[in-house]
Amino acid sequence: MRIPIIGGNWKMNKTVKEAVDMVEDLKQRVGNIQDVEIVIFPPFTALKSVGEVVKGTNIGLGAQNMYWEEEGAYTGEISPLMILDIGCRYVILGHSERRQYFKETNEEINKKLKVALSSGITPVVCVGEKIEERRRGKAKKVVEEQIKDCFKEITLEEARRIVIAYEPVWAIGTGETATPEQAEEMHLFIRNLLKDLFGEEISQSLRIQYGGSVKPANIEELMKEKDIDGALVGGASLKADSFAEIIKKTAEISKISSSLRSKNE
Ligand code: 13P
């Protein structure tokens, strides 16, 4: 059974104080949730302070990006060692905003992925097509290329620890969510690709999150789909009330589906 994972990607938002206030509040609201893996991805500047607040709780800490070298003359970059040192156990790699604005390539994401895995950091690898690619009927082709290129030379053992986030670029920050059917179709496509790459067992155990305008009002319908294992939430993760609601609704759906499964067994 795949434990759902809900991530809050704060992007370039919040001062240290705002970040700490938000997680103090979030901790109160979701401290007793057990059926969902919860991770927040604050900006680098707030990681240390937020890390102190979530230490020993059910809220994990992640960075929004990292470089692939451990140290050296790379002005402005942050290394895997540095994010580990500050308490991060997760990292987002290849977010579409990094691909779009900072020209990150699949090849670079692959280098980062290898280093994240060898450093013991859980990577959340983002894939997703742009609107013109979907309109031209190229969505699956683009996602296939991203998956194959980002996952080059990853061993079976390493693959087990990867989380994937399918984030159609046209749904990010636009208020326009993919329909549950559109999302499920792509998630199943991704799972089948993973089966070709890593085999049946690993493909069934890997978690694929959906991302793009996820909010309390649409999380349930998305989570009901068979191959959607959680969400990577942007805007709605900035406030404790809406993010907590998404987490609680996910926990409810996960409880219902596991009790249905045990009845059928
Ligand atoms: P929104 O939820 O704001 O659309 O952002 C999604 C996202 O990019 C998460 O990584």
Side-chain angles (χ1 to χ4, degrees), residues 7-11 92 95-97 126 165 167 171-176 210-215 231-237:
N9 175 11
W10 292 2
K11 308 191 180 182
I92 296 176
H95 191 279
S96 69
E97 286 147 18
C126 302
E167 303 203 306
I172 296 179
T174 56
E176 186 187 347
Y210 169 79
S213 299
V214 172
K215 27 187 188 285
L232 189 54
V233 187
S237 74

mmCIF file of all heavy atoms in Angstrom, residues 7-11 92 95-97 126 165 167 171-176 210-215 231-237, ligand 1:
data_model
loop_
_atom_site.group_PDB
_atom_site.id
_atom_site.type_symbol
_atom_site.label_atom_id
_atom_site.label_comp_id
_atom_site.label_asym_id
_atom_site.label_seq_id
_atom_site.Cartn_x
_atom_site.Cartn_y
_atom_site.Cartn_z
ATOM 1 N N GLY A 7 2.855 17.486 -0.078
ATOM 2 C CA GLY A 7 3.953 18.439 0.058
ATOM 3 C C GLY A 7 3.435 19.856 -0.087
ATOM 4 O O GLY A 7 2.528 20.116 -0.871
ATOM 5 N N GLY A 8 4.039 20.756 0.674
ATOM 6 C CA GLY A 8 3.706 22.178 0.538
ATOM 7 C C GLY A 8 4.925 22.903 -0.016
ATOM 8 O O GLY A 8 5.930 23.052 0.675
ATOM 9 N N ASN A 9 4.844 23.295 -1.291
ATOM 10 C CA ASN A 9 5.948 24.021 -1.928
ATOM 11 C C ASN A 9 5.661 25.514 -1.804
ATOM 12 O O ASN A 9 4.804 26.037 -2.499
ATOM 13 C CB ASN A 9 6.047 23.584 -3.402
ATOM 14 C CG ASN A 9 7.084 24.391 -4.164
ATOM 15 O OD1 ASN A 9 7.875 25.133 -3.571
ATOM 16 N ND2 ASN A 9 7.090 24.247 -5.484
ATOM 17 N N TRP A 10 6.406 26.137 -0.916
ATOM 18 C CA TRP A 10 6.131 27.558 -0.646
ATOM 19 C C TRP A 10 6.726 28.498 -1.693
ATOM 20 O O TRP A 10 6.500 29.693 -1.648
ATOM 21 C CB TRP A 10 6.670 27.938 0.742
ATOM 22 C CG TRP A 10 5.931 27.286 1.864
ATOM 23 C CD1 TRP A 10 4.891 26.395 1.760
ATOM 24 C CD2 TRP A 10 6.162 27.461 3.260
ATOM 25 N NE1 TRP A 10 4.474 26.013 3.007
ATOM 26 C CE2 TRP A 10 5.244 26.652 3.943
ATOM 27 C CE3 TRP A 10 7.077 28.220 4.001
ATOM 28 C CZ2 TRP A 10 5.196 26.590 5.334
ATOM 29 C CZ3 TRP A 10 7.039 28.154 5.386
ATOM 30 C CH2 TRP A 10 6.103 27.349 6.036
ATOM 31 N N LYS A 11 7.568 27.956 -2.555
ATOM 32 C CA LYS A 11 8.213 28.770 -3.605
ATOM 33 C C LYS A 11 8.924 29.972 -2.970
ATOM 34 O O LYS A 11 9.432 29.854 -1.854
ATOM 35 C CB LYS A 11 7.179 29.169 -4.659
ATOM 36 C CG LYS A 11 6.410 27.937 -5.176
ATOM 37 C CD LYS A 11 5.560 28.173 -6.378
ATOM 38 C CE LYS A 11 4.877 26.869 -6.773
ATOM 39 N NZ LYS A 11 4.057 26.996 -7.965
ATOM 40 N N ILE A 92 12.957 19.007 -3.713
ATOM 41 C CA ILE A 92 12.220 19.061 -4.994
ATOM 42 C C ILE A 92 13.253 19.227 -6.109
ATOM 43 O O ILE A 92 14.143 20.072 -6.010
ATOM 44 C CB ILE A 92 11.242 20.264 -5.029
ATOM 45 C CG1 ILE A 92 10.153 20.104 -3.965
ATOM 46 C CG2 ILE A 92 10.617 20.410 -6.420
ATOM 47 C CD1 ILE A 92 9.197 21.301 -3.875
ATOM 48 N N HIS A 95 11.479 21.291 -10.764
ATOM 49 C CA HIS A 95 10.178 21.957 -10.804
ATOM 50 C C HIS A 95 10.048 22.735 -12.115
ATOM 51 O O HIS A 95 11.036 23.276 -12.622
ATOM 52 C CB HIS A 95 10.035 22.903 -9.601
ATOM 53 C CG HIS A 95 8.635 23.403 -9.445
ATOM 54 N ND1 HIS A 95 8.153 24.445 -10.194
ATOM 55 C CD2 HIS A 95 7.616 22.971 -8.672
ATOM 56 C CE1 HIS A 95 6.871 24.638 -9.860
ATOM 57 N NE2 HIS A 95 6.519 23.756 -8.948
ATOM 58 N N SER A 96 8.847 22.820 -12.642
ATOM 59 C CA SER A 96 8.685 23.453 -13.955
ATOM 60 C C SER A 96 9.123 24.918 -13.946
ATOM 61 O O SER A 96 9.555 25.444 -14.965
ATOM 62 C CB SER A 96 7.240 23.342 -14.430
ATOM 63 O OG SER A 96 6.411 24.144 -13.626
ATOM 64 N N GLU A 97 9.031 25.577 -12.770
ATOM 65 C CA GLU A 97 9.493 26.971 -12.728
ATOM 66 C C GLU A 97 11.010 27.039 -12.879
ATOM 67 O O GLU A 97 11.539 27.994 -13.445
ATOM 68 C CB GLU A 97 9.017 27.628 -11.423
ATOM 69 C CG GLU A 97 7.520 27.932 -11.491
ATOM 70 C CD GLU A 97 6.787 27.829 -10.167
ATOM 71 O OE1 GLU A 97 7.426 27.856 -9.105
ATOM 72 O OE2 GLU A 97 5.543 27.722 -10.208
ATOM 73 N N CYS A 126 9.889 16.469 -10.457
ATOM 74 C CA CYS A 126 8.704 17.038 -11.115
ATOM 75 C C CYS A 126 8.760 16.863 -12.626
ATOM 76 O O CYS A 126 9.804 17.094 -13.247
ATOM 77 C CB CYS A 126 8.605 18.530 -10.826
ATOM 78 S SG CYS A 126 8.526 18.914 -9.074
ATOM 79 N N ALA A 165 6.331 13.963 -8.992
ATOM 80 C CA ALA A 165 5.199 14.891 -8.974
ATOM 81 C C ALA A 165 4.833 15.214 -10.416
ATOM 82 O O ALA A 165 5.665 15.761 -11.165
ATOM 83 C CB ALA A 165 5.555 16.164 -8.217
ATOM 84 N N GLU A 167 3.052 17.591 -12.590
ATOM 85 C CA GLU A 167 2.495 18.941 -12.497
ATOM 86 C C GLU A 167 2.341 19.516 -13.904
ATOM 87 O O GLU A 167 3.312 20.048 -14.465
ATOM 88 C CB GLU A 167 3.428 19.848 -11.686
ATOM 89 C CG GLU A 167 3.717 19.343 -10.296
ATOM 90 C CD GLU A 167 4.143 20.473 -9.361
ATOM 91 O OE1 GLU A 167 5.083 21.222 -9.679
ATOM 92 O OE2 GLU A 167 3.488 20.623 -8.318
ATOM 93 N N ALA A 171 -1.575 24.030 -15.313
ATOM 94 C CA ALA A 171 -2.448 23.992 -14.120
ATOM 95 C C ALA A 171 -1.789 24.655 -12.911
ATOM 96 O O ALA A 171 -2.409 24.777 -11.861
ATOM 97 C CB ALA A 171 -2.805 22.546 -13.791
ATOM 98 N N ILE A 172 -0.520 25.068 -13.066
ATOM 99 C CA ILE A 172 0.208 25.616 -11.911
ATOM 100 C C ILE A 172 -0.122 27.093 -11.723
ATOM 101 O O ILE A 172 0.114 27.913 -12.614
ATOM 102 C CB ILE A 172 1.727 25.425 -12.079
ATOM 103 C CG1 ILE A 172 2.063 23.926 -12.099
ATOM 104 C CG2 ILE A 172 2.500 26.141 -10.975
ATOM 105 C CD1 ILE A 172 3.520 23.609 -12.283
ATOM 106 N N GLY A 173 -0.667 27.405 -10.566
ATOM 107 C CA GLY A 173 -0.937 28.796 -10.220
ATOM 108 C C GLY A 173 -2.003 29.465 -11.079
ATOM 109 O O GLY A 173 -2.163 30.679 -11.064
ATOM 110 N N THR A 174 -2.735 28.666 -11.853
ATOM 111 C CA THR A 174 -3.707 29.254 -12.779
ATOM 112 C C THR A 174 -5.136 29.103 -12.269
ATOM 113 O O THR A 174 -6.052 29.689 -12.829
ATOM 114 C CB THR A 174 -3.647 28.525 -14.145
ATOM 115 O OG1 THR A 174 -3.875 27.123 -13.900
ATOM 116 C CG2 THR A 174 -2.304 28.714 -14.813
ATOM 117 N N GLY A 175 -5.331 28.276 -11.257
ATOM 118 C CA GLY A 175 -6.685 27.985 -10.790
ATOM 119 C C GLY A 175 -7.350 26.917 -11.646
ATOM 120 O O GLY A 175 -8.428 26.428 -11.337
ATOM 121 N N GLU A 176 -6.673 26.562 -12.744
ATOM 122 C CA GLU A 176 -7.244 25.537 -13.628
ATOM 123 C C GLU A 176 -6.604 24.179 -13.305
ATOM 124 O O GLU A 176 -5.433 23.949 -13.610
ATOM 125 C CB GLU A 176 -6.936 25.916 -15.088
ATOM 126 C CG GLU A 176 -7.599 25.010 -16.081
ATOM 127 C CD GLU A 176 -7.136 25.308 -17.518
ATOM 128 O OE1 GLU A 176 -6.508 26.347 -17.740
ATOM 129 O OE2 GLU A 176 -7.417 24.481 -18.390
ATOM 130 N N TYR A 210 0.128 14.553 -7.589
ATOM 131 C CA TYR A 210 -0.384 15.500 -8.588
ATOM 132 C C TYR A 210 -0.120 16.916 -8.069
ATOM 133 O O TYR A 210 -0.255 17.177 -6.863
ATOM 134 C CB TYR A 210 -1.894 15.293 -8.816
ATOM 135 C CG TYR A 210 -2.446 16.433 -9.630
ATOM 136 C CD1 TYR A 210 -2.254 16.461 -11.007
ATOM 137 C CD2 TYR A 210 -3.059 17.521 -9.011
ATOM 138 C CE1 TYR A 210 -2.675 17.550 -11.750
ATOM 139 C CE2 TYR A 210 -3.484 18.611 -9.752
ATOM 140 C CZ TYR A 210 -3.284 18.621 -11.111
ATOM 141 O OH TYR A 210 -3.681 19.711 -11.845
ATOM 142 N N GLY A 211 0.219 17.826 -8.966
ATOM 143 C CA GLY A 211 0.389 19.225 -8.555
ATOM 144 C C GLY A 211 -0.184 20.162 -9.597
ATOM 145 O O GLY A 211 -0.098 19.893 -10.809
ATOM 146 N N GLY A 212 -0.792 21.252 -9.146
ATOM 147 C CA GLY A 212 -1.371 22.241 -10.060
ATOM 148 C C GLY A 212 -2.735 22.650 -9.574
ATOM 149 O O GLY A 212 -3.720 21.943 -9.773
ATOM 150 N N SER A 213 -2.776 23.792 -8.840
ATOM 151 C CA SER A 213 -4.032 24.341 -8.334
ATOM 152 C C SER A 213 -4.811 23.366 -7.442
ATOM 153 O O SER A 213 -6.040 23.328 -7.483
ATOM 154 C CB SER A 213 -4.921 24.842 -9.487
ATOM 155 O OG SER A 213 -4.256 25.872 -10.191
ATOM 156 N N VAL A 214 -4.075 22.593 -6.638
ATOM 157 C CA VAL A 214 -4.751 21.726 -5.669
ATOM 158 C C VAL A 214 -5.233 22.588 -4.506
ATOM 159 O O VAL A 214 -4.518 23.465 -4.016
ATOM 160 C CB VAL A 214 -3.795 20.624 -5.140
ATOM 161 C CG1 VAL A 214 -4.441 19.847 -4.001
ATOM 162 C CG2 VAL A 214 -3.412 19.681 -6.266
ATOM 163 N N LYS A 215 -6.468 22.363 -4.094
ATOM 164 C CA LYS A 215 -7.035 23.105 -2.972
ATOM 165 C C LYS A 215 -7.990 22.199 -2.192
ATOM 166 O O LYS A 215 -8.286 21.084 -2.643
ATOM 167 C CB LYS A 215 -7.739 24.381 -3.440
ATOM 168 C CG LYS A 215 -8.289 24.335 -4.842
ATOM 169 C CD LYS A 215 -8.819 25.692 -5.264
ATOM 170 C CE LYS A 215 -9.548 25.586 -6.593
ATOM 171 N NZ LYS A 215 -8.683 25.450 -7.760
ATOM 172 N N ALA A 231 -0.339 15.022 -3.206
ATOM 173 C CA ALA A 231 -0.290 16.261 -3.986
ATOM 174 C C ALA A 231 0.911 17.100 -3.594
ATOM 175 O O ALA A 231 1.389 17.037 -2.455
ATOM 176 C CB ALA A 231 -1.576 17.050 -3.762
ATOM 177 N N LEU A 232 1.393 17.863 -4.574
ATOM 178 C CA LEU A 232 2.392 18.887 -4.291
ATOM 179 C C LEU A 232 1.647 20.217 -4.460
ATOM 180 O O LEU A 232 1.196 20.549 -5.553
ATOM 181 C CB LEU A 232 3.577 18.763 -5.256
ATOM 182 C CG LEU A 232 4.797 19.636 -4.948
ATOM 183 C CD1 LEU A 232 5.306 19.427 -3.522
ATOM 184 C CD2 LEU A 232 5.939 19.359 -5.928
ATOM 185 N N VAL A 233 1.497 20.904 -3.341
ATOM 186 C CA VAL A 233 0.588 22.048 -3.289
ATOM 187 C C VAL A 233 1.396 23.343 -3.237
ATOM 188 O O VAL A 233 2.322 23.462 -2.431
ATOM 189 C CB VAL A 233 -0.297 21.953 -2.019
ATOM 190 C CG1 VAL A 233 -1.366 23.033 -2.034
ATOM 191 C CG2 VAL A 233 -0.920 20.564 -1.892
ATOM 192 N N GLY A 234 1.044 24.298 -4.069
ATOM 193 C CA GLY A 234 1.717 25.596 -4.044
ATOM 194 C C GLY A 234 0.913 26.585 -3.213
ATOM 195 O O GLY A 234 0.964 26.575 -1.979
ATOM 196 N N GLY A 235 0.130 27.410 -3.890
ATOM 197 C CA GLY A 235 -0.609 28.497 -3.239
ATOM 198 C C GLY A 235 -1.368 28.098 -1.980
ATOM 199 O O GLY A 235 -1.284 28.774 -0.949
ATOM 200 N N ALA A 236 -2.088 26.987 -2.046
ATOM 201 C CA ALA A 236 -2.922 26.591 -0.896
ATOM 202 C C ALA A 236 -2.103 26.030 0.262
ATOM 203 O O ALA A 236 -2.656 25.724 1.316
ATOM 204 C CB ALA A 236 -3.977 25.574 -1.347
ATOM 205 N N SER A 237 -0.771 25.908 0.084
ATOM 206 C CA SER A 237 0.053 25.432 1.208
ATOM 207 C C SER A 237 0.625 26.596 2.013
ATOM 208 O O SER A 237 1.295 26.394 3.016
ATOM 209 C CB SER A 237 1.206 24.552 0.706
ATOM 210 O OG SER A 237 2.216 25.334 0.095
HETATM 211 P P1 13P B 1 -0.177 25.815 -7.243
HETATM 212 O O1 13P B 1 -0.768 24.855 -6.254
HETATM 213 O O2 13P B 1 -0.047 27.211 -6.708
HETATM 214 O O3 13P B 1 -0.845 25.735 -8.567
HETATM 215 O O4 13P B 1 1.357 25.339 -7.479
HETATM 216 C C1 13P B 1 1.612 24.012 -7.748
HETATM 217 C C2 13P B 1 3.070 23.776 -7.698
HETATM 218 O O5 13P B 1 3.818 24.266 -8.524
HETATM 219 C C3 13P B 1 3.603 22.952 -6.606
HETATM 220 O O6 13P B 1 4.940 22.630 -6.807
#
